[in-house]
Amino acid sequence: LVEVMDGFLAKVGTSPQAIAKATIRGVERRQHLVLGNSGAKTLYYISKFIPALGDKMIDSAYKRLQKNGVVAP
């Protein structure tokens, strides 16, 4: 599973090390929300201001992850 997630993050354009670095930085700064990359930030703001579009994007991404075997159906 680790190899699959590493491959997925590589396709998205974010390395596990970059996510870990952003998470550690967020914890050090005591942030209540840590967004690891620009895609996460974009999705967060879309979901905040246009909830239906954000839900559709999340559903689509989840279905792709199921199709590729990253998450169980």
Side-chain angles (χ1 to χ4, degrees):
L1 181 61
V2 172
E3 294 84 16
V4 173
M5 286 306 295
D6 286 348
F8 173 72
L9 289 172
K11 287 181 184 177
V12 174
T14 303
S15 69
Q17 292 82 10
I19 296 294
K21 185 177 178 181
T23 303
I24 291 169
R25 188 173 53 243
V27 169
E28 289 173 346
R29 294 178 181 179
R30 297 180 182 232
Q31 294 176 324
H32 68 280
L33 178 65
V34 178
L35 302 170
N37 62 15
S38 60
K41 291 174 187 173
T42 301
L43 184 58
Y44 171 75
Y45 286 110
I46 286 174
S47 293
K48 187 173 181 174
F49 295 110
I50 311 170
L53 179 59
D55 290 344
K56 191 170 189 169
M57 291 171 68
I58 291 169
D59 288 341
S60 174
Y62 188 75
K63 287 177 184 176
R64 274 186 272 132
L65 291 174
Q66 283 181 325
K67 183 180 178 184
N68 293 331
V70 176
V71 294

